[in-house]
Amino acid sequence: MSHPSVILHLGLGSFHRAHQAVYLQALHDLGDESWVLAGANIRADMQAVEAALIAQNGVYHVETVTPAGVRAYQEIRSIRHVIPWEEGLAGLIAYGARPEVKIISFTVTEAGYYLTPQHKLDLNFADLVSDLEQGTMLTIYGALAAILHARMRADAGKVTLLSCDNLRSNGERFHEGFAEFLYRRGDEQLLSWLKTHTTTPACMVDRITPRPLPDVAERVRAACGGNDQCPVMGEDFIQWVIEDDFAAGRPAWEKVGAELVASVQPYEEAKIRLLNAQHSTIAWAGTLAGYLFIHEGTLDQDVRGFAYDYVTNDVLPVLEPSPINLAAYRDKVLERFSNAYIRDTNQRVAADGYSKIPGWVTPTIRQRFAAAAGIESVAMIPALFFLFLQDWAAGKLPFEYQDQAMDEASVRAMLEGPLPLLAFCRDIVLFGDLAGDARLEAAIGRAYERAVAWRASR
């Protein structure tokens, strides 16, 4: 019997284990075990999860819950090997050079690609500069360069590099970032090998997966027995749309509900603008309204209204016509966000605004301007984010805000300056070529006044 092919996944967080690993388990449940998963992390911040997975031979449980509160449990056994993190990533590099590894996938979050709005590497980040100049492996680029060099030396064959993050055109943008990384390093040999031995398909992933609280393990124990130290939980909804462009084969994901398509673009635009952007809007506005959880803000008429109006007034006109019923998709998204049993936190969803505004919101503003249309509804999102940042700078947030793409010192200086909102509207990181546009400044200024009045009235 031949050995199974391997998907090596970088980033053993909750999302991967509640999404890609679940799809592969579904194939295994049909009797198709021709592909298995191996998993690793490129940073040292998840060693407790790694240790638990290793102790459990990669086996764990997923708890799902519907908006009506119906819970279900599934044992996941598709991760067959967990590579423990170590300084220098020697074990990961050696594993990645194995010929049976046919796909290397990753979830590093949008900010983990270190890309500017112009799709170039943002060299303001120390980890990226360290990888470029010192040969460290602190970023996805540095880690993959080391793995692929070992693969090239071992003549291990072609491999697909599959981004599973909420980055628009994630396959293309990852490829551009990685190619620029290798070019800046002067790594012409690997750059040439990359062109002939890899593909980088795009994909759109969707499932709400909050960080699991201790009560998840308690419910898993009660429902399934045993003592799972690393269960995950998520909503019952799940979706995966994948560009069918693989260098060395792939699992038959279409047999278990994934959609293999020629172009992911219309699906990802709908997801990024109708789901991701609404999610962040509700997190920022909900926090300003005094809530801690996404469902609380979604069930608040005002907060929900900000998200609903943004989609209805400004997004639908620029995305239609679409192969997707966008109005129905909008309503389904808000129904999912209202799931009180998920207990998804504003803290998780509010993170990384400096990546989310340029990726998820600014494109709608740009298209509305191109159509000579107003931006009153979409302007509310950056206005709410600015008000959120003011609370952050004043120490008024009820949680620690994390933002990989934000230059904290510069943002604090901006907020302490004489015209902070104007400086915010002129931030190239957030608004790209629209920074300083008089129409943008006026619309966000009006939206900010409405946001301040709204919060004061509560």
Side-chain angles (χ1 to χ4, degrees):
M1 181 178 176
S2 61
H3 292 291
S5 298
V6 176
I7 304 168
L8 172 59
H9 187 83
L10 309 181
L12 281 169
S14 296
F15 183 77
H16 167 69
R17 294 189 293 121
H19 191 274
Q20 295 95 33
V22 170
Y23 275 97
L24 197 58
Q25 183 61 49
L27 265 180
H28 289 189
D29 292 343
L30 293 179
D32 181 354
E33 296 196 15
S34 57
W35 288 79
V36 298
L37 274 161
N41 291 306
I42 61 175
R43 292 179 177 268
D45 53 1
M46 290 193 63
Q47 290 177 282
V49 169
E50 282 180 7
L53 280 171
I54 290 169
Q56 295 171 194
N57 296 313
V59 179
Y60 62 96
H61 294 81
V62 175
E63 175 192 65
T64 59
V65 60
T66 71
V70 178
R71 299 182 189 274
Y73 299 89
Q74 182 182 11
E75 186 177 78
I76 305 299
R77 304 176 302 280
S78 54
I79 299 178
R80 299 296 173 83
H81 186 66
V82 178
I83 304 156
W85 183 88
E86 59 183 319
E87 198 79 45
L89 306 182
L92 172 58
I93 293 167
Y95 197 99
R98 295 184 180 190
E100 63 265 28
V101 172
K102 305 293 187 183
I103 298 171
I104 301 176
S105 56
F106 31 95
T107 42
V108 297
T109 79
E110 299 75 47
Y113 294 88
Y114 302 97
L115 295 171
T116 69
Q118 293 73 38
H119 303 184
K120 300 296 183 182
L121 292 181
D122 190 338
L123 301 180
N124 291 312
F125 292 94
D127 286 353
L128 180 59
V129 173
S130 177
D131 279 12
L132 279 169
E133 297 180 355
Q134 309 298 324
T136 52
M137 291 166 281
L138 303 175
T139 71
I140 186 65
Y141 305 121
L144 277 176
I147 293 169
L148 296 183
H149 261 293
R151 224 182 144 76
M152 182 172 63
R153 287 193 298 269
D155 195 20
K158 295 184 176 183
V159 65
T160 300
L161 306 176
L162 181 63
S163 166
C164 299
D165 284 297
N166 292 321
L167 189 72
R168 178 178 281 99
S169 303
N170 53 11
E172 179 184 355
R173 291 196 66 192
F174 158 73
H175 183 272
E176 289 177 358
F178 191 34
E180 182 186 348
F181 178 88
L182 297 177
Y183 175 79
R184 285 181 175 275
R185 264 193 175 180
D187 198 342
E188 295 181 7
Q189 184 183 17
L190 187 56
L191 194 55
S192 177
W193 185 91
L194 194 73
K195 293 176 182 177
T196 56
H197 288 77
T198 69
T199 57
T200 55
C203 78
M204 185 274 275
V205 295
D206 194 5
R207 179 173 241 180
I208 297 172
T209 54
R211 296 186 184 98
L213 299 172
D215 58 356
V216 176
E218 295 170 9
R219 288 193 298 271
V220 167
R221 188 179 305 113
C224 307
N227 186 28
D228 189 341
Q229 293 295 305
C230 54
V232 293
M233 67 98 67
E235 62 175 338
D236 60 329
F237 180 92
I238 190 169
Q239 187 179 19
W240 199 5
V241 184
I242 314 166
E243 180 186 1
D244 198 358
D245 181 23
F246 288 77
R250 61 166 177 81
W253 285 307
E254 68 274 16
K255 293 181 179 179
V256 290
E259 299 171 77
L260 279 296
V261 299
S263 174
V264 174
Q265 194 267 341
Y267 301 91
E268 75 178 3
E269 283 301 324
K271 197 249 178 170
I272 286 171
R273 301 206 212 185
L274 274 73
L275 187 145
N276 296 136
Q278 282 195 107
H279 218 180
S280 296
T281 302
I282 290 168
W284 295 325
T287 300
L288 294 170
Y291 301 126
L292 292 176
F293 295 98
I294 290 294
H295 71 270
E296 296 174 314
T298 307
L299 296 171
D300 180 293
Q301 184 176 353
D302 292 339
V303 174
R304 183 189 185 99
F306 293 142
Y308 183 93
D309 290 348
Y310 147 72
V311 171
T312 306
N313 298 334
D314 287 350
V315 174
L316 297 193
V318 300
L319 290 191
E320 290 177 332
S322 169
I324 302 159
N325 183 333
L326 296 176
Y329 186 83
R330 170 202 61 204
D331 296 343
K332 178 64 175 179
V333 163
L334 290 171
E335 175 192 327
R336 291 164 59 194
F337 291 168
S338 69
N339 188 333
Y341 302 96
I342 288 288
R343 297 185 71 76
D344 200 5
T345 63
N346 288 337
Q347 180 180 21
R348 184 188 79 85
V349 180
D352 293 326
Y354 265 78
S355 295
K356 293 173 178 177
I357 292 287
W360 302 350
V361 179
T362 301
T364 297
I365 297 173
R366 183 174 291 109
Q367 284 185 275
R368 292 289 284 168
F369 281 162
I375 61 165
E376 297 308 303
S377 295
V378 66
M380 182 57 77
I381 303 179
L384 290 166
F385 179 57
F386 180 78
L387 194 54
F388 175 91
L389 286 175
Q390 287 183 310
D391 275 13
W392 162 76
K396 294 179 180 179
L397 293 183
F399 50 75
E400 181 183 355
Y401 175 61
Q402 296 176 323
D403 196 327
Q404 289 188 74
M406 180 178 72
D407 183 330
E408 182 173 336
S410 295
V411 173
R412 288 191 182 276
M414 173 194 73
L415 293 169
E416 293 168 3
L419 296 169
L421 184 59
L422 193 61
F424 175 81
C425 294
R426 295 177 178 178
D427 191 324
I428 294 175
V429 172
L430 294 174
F431 302 110
D433 59 351
L434 294 179
D437 188 297
R439 298 166 298 174
L440 179 78
E441 293 174 4
I444 293 179
R446 291 190 296 271
Y448 177 71
E449 290 178 3
R450 297 198 304 274
V452 170
W454 160 73
R455 185 160 73 158
S457 69
R458 296 181 63 85

